[in-house]
Amino acid sequence: MKQSIWKSFFAVVLFLTVFLAAPTIKAQADATATAITIGKTDYDELTMEVNINQNSIVYFSSDKKNWYEVEGEKSSDNKYYLMDISWIPSNADKTIYFKGDKVATVVPVTIPGKDTSVKVTYNKADEDFTFTNCDSAEYFQWRKSSDHHWYQVPMNTNTSEYKSFMKTVESFSCKGAKIIFRIPQKPGTDTLNTGERPSKEVTVTLPKRANAPSVSVNASKLILNTTAKMEYFDTSKNKWVDCEKGMSVEEIAPSALYENGGHTVTIEIRVAATSSKSYSKSAFVTIPGQAKAPEVNKSNEISYYTEESSKNKKFCLQFLNATKQTPYSYCIVKPGAEYDVSKVTWKQVTDSKVKKLSSSTVPEGSTIYVRKQGRNANVNKNIALILSSKEEKFIVNYNSKPEIVK
């Protein structure tokens, strides 16, 4: 009986102790609570860390009249909510208000709107980009219109990352592409520094490169059908050089000539960029090395002599090895005229018959140039280019044996 009374007594004492201490404990807990604060704000993820600060419930409002409980994933240490901010308009700054259930101090937090003043332009001639209204930005981000992954690149054009970006852009230009740019976010760090949203997205269209120009070599005149709108890459200078109309092999590929070594040369040619157009795709023209001049009056290749009758004089010229498959050619430069391989009239010879030329056709003192005739390329027939050979020349003298001029 006494034992039962004592148990009841201790139960009452324990209840009174807890009951009387509860307000004190609650008061101590309320005393440690502080106003709501903000941690990291991430505008790529569209989340904001809302620090609980010992409050049991956190409220937010956009007008300080209607309050809602903050919902979101709680951190593992129960220190903050990860609040979704995707519902907050990005077209202008927006202030959101926070308060706790224990500390009702209203805390304003301004979420910035995105910068809509950023501009990106593409210079088709220089093939580079200009960024406007973002002088303080150290980086930009880009992606293809068909891709959702953003790549970050320094604004400094001298960095390896920027140069790599430009090489990527060049590869896009073959078929054309749309590239989207923006200035990246600056994540917020706390209540007073909520950072910056990514800027508005700017779409730049990279035009498709025009097809490579059709460039050919005239095997007889030793000229290319270049125009002033084209340019070629000069490997000796390591830069692009403007073309002229109808450039000669001597101008654009001098080492292909026999006198300069007779080397096979490949030239890269394209239509140059203008203020409204990017440069075209490249044409690659291979020029084979020029062969040496044929031998005259030294072997069974070319011979000449004069004939004289009572009525007239004739100059006789014979190409002993000439056939349709291995043609030769010659031209006559009369006294006082100048020789230009691209302007003189070359006569093709495809047989070994003697050519008897009158003295009116070949006046005294004329210079005759002879060579192995070249062959123009024909891609459709799989015919390769052969340059006409180096020429040999001699002066016509009817009173003595013609003299070969070196």
Side-chain angles (χ1 to χ4, degrees):
M1 181 70 175
K2 290 183 179 181
Q3 187 176 5
S4 177
I5 293 174
W6 279 108
K7 285 183 179 180
S8 299
F9 174 74
F10 283 122
V12 171
V13 171
L14 179 60
F15 170 77
L16 290 174
T17 300
V18 173
F19 179 78
L20 294 174
T24 302
I25 295 172
K26 180 178 183 301
Q28 290 175 345
D30 290 347
T32 59
T34 58
I36 301 302
T37 56
I38 301 300
K40 179 183 177 180
T41 304
D42 189 325
Y43 295 104
D44 286 340
E45 299 296 330
L46 291 174
T47 57
M48 173 183 284
E49 294 178 359
V50 181
N51 297 321
I52 299 170
N53 295 342
Q54 301 299 325
N55 288 274
S56 298
I57 303 174
V58 179
Y59 299 97
F60 74 95
S61 172
S62 60
D63 56 11
K64 291 194 290 187
K65 295 179 181 178
N66 301 299
W67 292 90
Y68 306 92
E69 185 175 342
V70 171
E71 296 179 353
E73 182 183 350
K74 224 174 189 182
S75 63
S76 58
D77 56 6
N78 292 321
K79 288 186 177 181
Y80 64 83
Y81 284 107
L82 193 62
M83 180 180 177
D84 171 43
I85 59 171
S86 62
W87 56 273
I88 301 175
S90 63
N91 58 343
D93 293 355
K94 179 68 175 178
T95 299
I96 306 297
Y97 304 92
F98 293 90
K99 68 179 181 179
D101 64 328
K102 296 177 181 178
V103 177
T105 302
V106 176
V107 178
V109 177
T110 300
I111 307 298
K114 69 171 56 177
D115 184 357
T116 59
S117 66
V118 173
K119 294 181 180 180
V120 184
T121 54
Y122 179 64
N123 186 311
K124 296 182 179 66
D126 296 335
E127 295 213 320
D128 206 352
F129 297 91
T130 300
F131 294 81
T132 308
N133 300 330
C134 52
D135 294 342
S136 63
E138 296 182 3
Y139 297 89
F140 67 87
Q141 291 179 326
W142 71 275
R143 65 179 176 87
K144 286 187 70 175
S145 59
S146 57
D147 186 6
H148 296 289
H149 176 74
W150 290 99
Y151 301 90
Q152 187 155 298
V153 180
M155 285 286 191
N156 186 343
T157 58
N158 294 321
T159 60
S160 59
E161 294 93 333
Y162 189 91
K163 292 176 181 178
S164 176
F165 161 70
M166 290 306 300
K167 286 183 179 179
T168 303
V169 169
E170 185 175 3
S171 68
F172 290 160
S173 297
C174 289
K175 294 185 177 180
K178 288 185 177 180
I179 298 183
I180 300 174
F181 293 88
R182 73 177 185 182
I183 302 303
Q185 70 156 332
K186 291 183 179 179
T189 57
D190 53 44
T191 308
L192 299 178
N193 177 19
T194 51
E196 297 177 10
R197 287 181 183 267
S199 72
K200 76 170 184 179
E201 297 178 2
V202 181
T203 300
V204 175
T205 300
L206 299 179
K208 179 182 178 181
R209 291 206 191 287
N211 290 332
S214 177
V215 183
S216 59
V217 181
N218 187 310
S220 180
K221 295 184 177 182
L222 302 185
I223 60 174
L224 290 76
N225 63 334
T226 54
T227 69
K229 293 182 179 180
M230 299 178 187
E231 59 185 2
Y232 71 97
F233 190 77
D234 189 330
T235 54
S236 64
K237 298 178 181 177
N238 197 33
K239 68 175 184 178
W240 289 94
V241 179
D242 292 338
C243 288
E244 296 178 3
K245 183 179 179 180
M247 294 186 72
S248 67
V249 172
E250 183 178 9
E251 292 173 314
I252 202 168
S255 62
L257 298 179
Y258 177 75
E259 61 195 39
N260 297 323
H263 304 288
T264 296
V265 179
T266 298
I267 304 296
E268 183 179 3
I269 302 176
R270 67 188 185 187
V271 177
T274 66
S275 59
S276 59
K277 274 186 175 182
S278 180
Y279 60 80
S280 73
K281 296 177 183 177
S282 293
F284 292 88
V285 181
T286 298
I287 303 175
Q290 185 184 39
K292 67 178 182 177
E295 292 187 342
V296 179
N297 277 357
K298 291 182 179 180
S299 64
N300 293 327
E301 191 165 10
I302 300 175
S303 64
Y304 57 87
Y305 53 92
T306 59
E307 283 185 354
E308 185 174 355
S309 65
S310 58
K311 293 182 179 180
N312 54 39
K313 297 178 181 179
K314 288 189 177 182
F315 188 86
C316 301
L317 188 60
Q318 186 176 21
F319 297 83
L320 300 170
N321 296 332
T323 66
K324 289 182 179 180
Q325 290 72 37
T326 58
Y328 287 69
S329 59
Y330 69 94
C331 72
I332 302 167
V333 179
K334 294 182 179 181
E338 292 185 1
Y339 171 76
D340 185 329
V341 67
S342 66
K343 295 180 180 180
V344 296
T345 300
W346 290 95
K347 297 183 182 296
Q348 185 166 294
V349 181
T350 58
D351 57 52
S352 59
K353 294 179 182 179
V354 176
K355 312 300 177 186
K356 294 186 177 183
L357 310 174
S358 67
S359 58
S360 60
T361 301
V362 188
E364 179 84 15
S366 297
T367 303
I368 295 183
Y369 293 81
V370 294
R371 67 183 185 178
K372 294 178 181 178
Q373 180 62 31
R375 180 182 65 191
N376 290 334
N378 189 319
V379 176
N380 295 329
K381 295 182 179 180
N382 199 28
I383 296 175
L385 170 70
I386 299 176
L387 289 184
S388 294
S389 73
K390 172 70 177 171
E391 61 279 87
E392 183 68 275
K393 62 182 179 179
F394 46 86
I395 298 174
V396 175
N397 186 339
Y398 287 99
N399 297 319
S400 64
K401 185 178 180 181
E403 177 185 357
I404 297 176
V405 181
K406 295 297 184 183

